[in-house]
Amino acid sequence: VINAKFPSSNEISSLLIQINQVAEDSNVSIANFTPKDTKEINLTANNSGKDKIMSQEFSIVANARYLNFVDFIFRIARLP
């Protein structure tokens, strides 16, 4: 059940393409993009196990002017 809620490798590839496009549109240069550990997050306080999702963290190293980087972050926040 949990794997059904976690993005497939195709969805992660699509995300990377979207992030790259946002970086180009914002005049931000991505120097490094590294996936981190996958974590299981419990959405309820009772730890029943029914309401869990998987979370994937990424580390991004970018080079940009401050306002371009702010624009990049706002655009990333609006991605579907």
Side-chain angles (χ1 to χ4, degrees):
V1 174
I2 291 175
N3 287 336
K5 295 181 182 179
F6 191 71
S8 69
S9 60
N10 287 342
E11 290 172 319
I12 292 175
S13 296
S14 175
L15 175 65
L16 293 175
I17 291 168
Q18 288 178 322
I19 290 172
N20 187 55
Q21 185 61 53
V22 169
E24 286 182 19
D25 294 345
S26 303
N27 293 319
V28 171
S29 173
I30 303 278
N32 189 4
F33 187 93
T34 307
K36 297 291 183 179
D37 294 333
T38 302
K39 296 179 182 178
E40 188 175 279
I41 298 174
N42 199 355
L43 299 176
T44 58
N46 64 8
N47 294 324
S48 66
K50 292 185 339 186
D51 298 319
K52 291 184 180 180
I53 62 170
M54 298 302 290
S55 171
Q56 176 73 51
E57 294 181 5
F58 298 94
S59 171
I60 299 176
V61 177
N63 298 307
R65 293 182 177 262
Y66 176 76
L67 291 178
N68 291 353
F69 184 72
V70 169
D71 181 45
F72 172 73
I73 295 301
F74 278 114
R75 289 175 187 240
I76 290 293
R78 287 186 270 149
L79 286 176

